[in-house]
Amino acid sequence: MPKIHVEWKGNMIFEGKDSDGHSLVMDASAIYGGNNQGVRPMEMLLISLAGCTGIEVGHAMNKMRLEYTAFSIAADAVRREEVPQIFTEINVEYTVEGQSISLDRFVRAFELGAVKYCSVANMLKACSKINYSFVLNGQRHTYPLSGEQADDTAEG
């Protein structure tokens, strides 16, 4: 069972530690009295989503022997106006480079990793719409693939 500990470090700074002792610093925005000395918790949630899906997609690509030379994830979100200001929509984009990776094989690894196995994504989709896209070898795609993109995967 995951167990964490968060401790106040002064002003609006909190340090969180995981069960293995890895730590990170969180701070509030200036309107809450913070000093921009750490990650804001809602941004950390986006980092967790990107990290979880990245680990799972990377694991799936490794198992499928898809060799990649670059892999990055960017995410942004829309928050509702009323409090609590939860995310109502999250956009996640993966950028992957790997000359031997076809679109259909990457989509399979993506579906296994991001859609099926990522615990963070599956928790967040209960309250937020998650939009996925990816740039594979310089070509941008939106998930799920449109008819034209889907036809391309049948050929690859």
Side-chain angles (χ1 to χ4, degrees):
M1 157 176 29
K3 186 174 182 177
I4 60 97
H5 179 78
V6 175
E7 185 174 329
W8 176 63
K9 294 297 188 177
N11 197 25
M12 298 303 286
I13 298 171
F14 288 82
E15 180 182 27
K17 290 187 178 183
D18 70 6
S19 54
D20 291 324
H22 303 289
S23 66
L24 58 88
V25 175
M26 296 169 280
D27 196 2
S29 64
I31 62 172
Y32 287 102
N35 293 315
N36 197 30
Q37 294 183 20
V39 180
R40 290 185 183 84
M42 290 298 281
E43 290 178 352
M44 191 166 37
L45 193 56
L46 289 178
I47 292 169
S48 294
L49 172 62
C52 180
T53 59
I55 288 168
E56 293 292 357
V57 171
H59 180 70
M61 287 195 296
N62 291 342
K63 286 186 85 168
M64 295 171 67
R65 292 181 166 64
L66 300 179
E67 294 182 21
Y68 49 95
T69 56
F71 185 12
S72 64
I73 303 139
D76 62 58
V78 176
R79 294 176 76 171
R80 71 180 185 186
E81 291 295 320
E82 59 272 6
V83 175
Q85 291 181 297
I86 65 169
F87 294 144
T88 57
E89 191 167 345
I90 301 170
N91 303 300
V92 186
E93 183 165 272
Y94 305 82
T95 301
V96 178
E97 295 288 331
Q99 293 308 312
S100 64
I101 303 175
S102 66
L103 179 59
D104 61 331
R105 298 211 52 221
F106 174 77
V107 169
R108 180 68 181 139
F110 166 80
E111 288 175 334
L112 285 170
V115 179
K116 183 174 182 180
Y117 289 117
C118 175
S119 301
V120 176
N122 281 288
M123 283 181 57
L124 287 174
K125 76 179 183 182
C127 63
S128 303
K129 179 181 181 192
I130 303 177
N131 303 308
Y132 293 108
S133 61
F134 43 88
V135 178
L136 178 61
N137 295 320
Q139 187 169 4
R140 188 171 193 282
H141 305 275
T142 301
Y143 181 84
L145 298 178
S146 67
E148 184 177 308
Q149 290 174 328
D151 290 343
D152 290 344
T153 63
E155 296 171 12

